[in-house]
Amino acid sequence: MEKTLLINAHPDYTNHDHHSIQLLDYFLEQLQNKFPHAETTTLNLYGEDIPQITESTYATYRKKIDGTPLSTVETDQFERTAKRLYRQHHDCQIRFPLYC
């Protein structure tokens, strides 16, 4: 099954009066029509607690790979990052508002 990750970078992502959100809805409708068995995951950047990727994030991953025990903070950081950012998808679409 094809999986698509849709990243929505609109700050007012729940307001369907915005043209950007209407285009996003249209895109999702067309995607579902053309690929009815595709699975779509939407990640609203303004609606999620996504940890910032920093040097400490990389250090945590290096410790995890090496088998070094993680602290409670590092475990939380690892789980939140892995859950949000390292999903397996075949396609990634990024949508954000355009301002003229």
Side-chain angles (χ1 to χ4, degrees):
M1 176 186 301
E2 293 291 317
K3 292 183 178 181
T4 298
L5 173 62
L6 177 63
I7 300 174
N8 182 9
H10 198 292
D12 195 10
Y13 62 93
T14 59
N15 186 349
H16 291 271
D17 291 334
H18 287 290
H19 292 291
S20 297
I21 302 301
Q22 291 172 8
L23 284 171
L24 174 66
D25 292 340
Y26 178 76
F27 171 79
L28 287 171
E29 179 184 313
Q30 294 303 308
L31 183 68
Q32 200 60 39
N33 287 340
K34 291 185 185 211
F35 305 100
H37 301 292
E39 180 182 326
T40 304
T41 304
T42 300
L43 178 65
N44 292 305
L45 293 183
Y46 286 89
E48 300 282 339
D49 179 25
I50 301 172
Q52 183 179 11
I53 297 177
T54 63
E55 180 56 37
S56 71
T57 309
Y58 291 119
T60 300
Y61 272 89
R62 283 193 293 275
K63 284 174 75 174
K64 185 74 171 171
I65 290 167
D66 293 340
T68 306
L70 302 178
S71 70
T72 305
V73 172
E74 290 171 330
T75 300
D76 178 59
Q77 179 185 44
F78 177 81
E79 289 175 356
R80 289 187 303 133
T81 304
K83 183 169 65 171
R84 299 287 184 229
L85 300 178
Y86 298 106
R87 298 178 178 165
Q88 290 187 358
H89 291 83
H90 296 97
D91 186 31
C92 181
Q93 298 288 321
I94 301 174
R95 301 290 182 238
F96 54 91
L98 297 175
Y99 298 100
C100 297

